Amino acid sequence: MGFKVQDHYFKKAKKEKYLARSIYKLEEIDEKYKVLKKGDQVIDLGYFPGSWIQYTQKVIGEEGLVVGCDIKPVNKKLMHLKNVKVFEKDVFDIQNLEELEVSKKFDVIVSDMAPNTTGIRSVDQDRSLNLIEMVFYHAPQFLRPGGNLVIKVFDSNKAQQYLKEQKNLFESFHFLKPKSTRSVSKEFFVIGKNFKA
Ligand SMILES: C[S@@+](CC[C@H](N)C(=O)[O-])C[C@H]1O[C@@H](n2cnc3c(N)ncnc32)[C@H](O)[C@@H]1O
């Protein structure tokens, strides 16, 4: 059973009516690397409960669209937002753009996906890496040339090796541990800018 650490960012998110404290990770990434812009069409993999969607839909504005996919049932709290579509879908099952109800490739892919953890480090690291590999697998079909990627990674030697092999797919590739990430956490984010296709 999980529990919520009621730290500074948890309280701030509650006060500012965000659905999760993760909002501050994407906000910091976006302020530093400018991954999102007005009018963008964005896919958010593992969006639930939806604080990244709340942030993204404000930045992209009414001309933009953010599509969320998660294995959890859709969060009805997001359904009133005009520039948002959410689906109950496993990233391993997504086949094409049509099933996401879009007709062109995305400008940005963001993924905060995290597997169900077992507590066995090597198993959890492998599950996390499977999710990362799936995002990179989808990139040629889903991300337009010049598009950006933000992806959460649980650190491991295998993940580092895999990311090294992917880095040339983007013109620039950055690693960031946002301030709001708990200091004990092994997670960091990879930001790929300008997908070469
Ligand atoms: C840390 S949460 C995301 C929080 C979200 N960024 C927010 O700001 O509210 C990670 C999510 O990844 C989802 N997830 C894990 N495996 C997935 C998969 N195979 N396909 C889609 N979503 C997945 C989980 O269900 C969970 O909701």
Side-chain angles (χ1 to χ4, degrees):
M1 196 174 71
F3 69 97
K4 284 180 176 164
V5 180
Q6 301 208 355
D7 66 358
H8 165 73
Y9 290 105
F10 174 89
K11 289 181 185 144
K12 184 167 153 70
K14 205 164 170 192
K15 197 164 148 216
E16 295 175 355
K17 301 206 174 354
Y18 283 114
L19 291 161
R21 68 194 288 295
S22 334
I23 148 74
Y24 303 109
K25 299 176 190 172
L26 183 60
E27 184 182 64
E28 183 180 337
I29 291 166
D30 191 37
E31 279 171 3
K32 186 154 185 194
Y33 294 106
K34 310 275 177 266
V35 282
L36 298 163
K37 65 175 187 329
K38 222 172 171 141
D40 274 352
Q41 179 181 287
V42 181
I43 183 161
D44 182 347
L45 297 167
Y47 79 85
F48 194 95
S51 77
W52 280 26
I53 286 198
Q54 289 175 300
Y55 175 82
T56 301
Q57 65 92 24
K58 276 191 213 159
V59 177
I60 61 177
E62 282 183 11
E63 314 92 273
L65 174 71
V66 53
V67 176
C69 294
D70 203 290
I71 43 177
K72 294 192 177 142
V74 296
N75 189 349
K76 298 206 171 75
K77 288 184 189 158
L78 299 167
M79 309 244 303
H80 68 285
L81 299 167
K82 278 199 194 122
N83 51 357
V84 173
K85 281 185 194 173
V86 279
F87 295 92
E88 181 179 342
K89 259 185 207 303
D90 191 319
V91 72
F92 291 96
D93 296 336
I94 305 174
Q95 308 277 347
N96 52 49
L97 293 168
E98 289 73 44
E99 67 185 273
L100 301 170
E101 297 174 10
V102 293
S103 51
K104 59 169 183 147
K105 290 186 180 185
F106 291 94
D107 300 298
V108 184
I109 298 178
V110 296
S111 169
D112 193 23
M113 282 191 294
N116 283 330
T117 48
T118 61
I120 304 166
R121 203 162 66 164
S122 59
V123 175
D124 294 342
Q125 285 174 345
D126 285 353
R127 285 188 184 179
S128 165
L129 184 54
N130 287 342
L131 293 172
I132 296 163
E133 285 170 344
M134 208 53 209
V135 176
F136 279 94
Y137 169 81
H138 283 315
Q141 197 189 354
F142 290 161
L143 188 61
R144 72 162 170 83
N148 300 326
L149 169 76
V150 173
I151 184 169
K152 176 156 80 184
V153 176
F154 285 100
D155 202 7
S156 69
N157 289 339
K158 281 191 207 164
Q160 292 279 357
Q161 183 55 40
Y162 179 76
L163 291 168
K164 219 183 264 174
E165 289 158 16
Q166 309 310 311
K167 112 183 232 243
N168 289 333
L169 295 172
F170 291 86
E171 264 172 32
S172 66
F173 211 61
H174 311 273
F175 293 65
L176 182 77
K177 184 160 181 166
K179 290 189 199 84
S180 57
T181 297
R182 295 187 183 99
S183 52
V184 290
S185 172
K186 285 275 194 188
E187 82 177 25
F188 64 92
F189 289 82
V190 167
I191 300 99
K193 289 210 67 182
N194 292 319
F195 184 50
K196 292 192 210 157

